[in-house]
Amino acid sequence: MYNIEHILPVLVPLTALFAVPLIYFFRYQRDIREGVSLFASVFMFLIALMVFKNYYEGKKIFIHLIDLTPTISLQFKADGAAVLFSLIASFLWII
């Protein structure tokens, strides 16, 4: 396995973060609300599939965001359990 730095681990939570306010904003317009929810869930599932594909090929995906102190940094890593969980959770959101 080798490491690659990629934006994909951040896109999964950001998709939900952007979708929730839109779903709330369109709470009285059922068709638009459901369309936003469906688009966000399919988009998140596709991102999770891309992360799974990279992990299956032996790549460890991560992104380093910021160093908080010289010994502490903020980063997202996609290990096996995280990849499996994101794939299952994003698929269940579609249902």
Side-chain angles (χ1 to χ4, degrees), residues 7-94:
I7 191 76
L8 287 176
V10 175
L11 286 179
V12 174
L14 282 180
T15 302
L17 188 68
F18 287 128
V20 168
L22 287 173
I23 291 168
Y24 179 76
F25 181 73
F26 293 116
R27 66 185 178 270
Y28 299 118
Q29 294 146 341
R30 183 173 184 249
D31 293 337
I32 297 173
R33 181 189 69 218
E34 295 300 322
V36 168
S37 179
L38 182 64
F39 176 78
S41 62
V42 169
F43 185 71
M44 186 181 296
F45 183 69
L46 291 175
I47 293 170
L49 276 177
M50 285 189 276
V51 172
F52 176 76
K53 177 185 165 282
N54 286 324
Y55 186 78
Y56 187 73
E57 292 173 351
K59 303 172 188 171
K60 286 190 176 180
I61 301 171
F62 75 98
I63 185 164
H64 179 262
L65 297 177
I66 189 171
D67 286 324
L68 301 174
T69 66
T71 57
I72 300 173
S73 65
L74 179 63
Q75 53 185 313
F76 286 89
K77 290 183 180 179
D79 62 350
V83 170
L84 183 63
F85 179 77
S86 68
L87 199 60
I88 292 169
S90 61
F91 177 73
L92 289 177
W93 193 14
I94 294 173

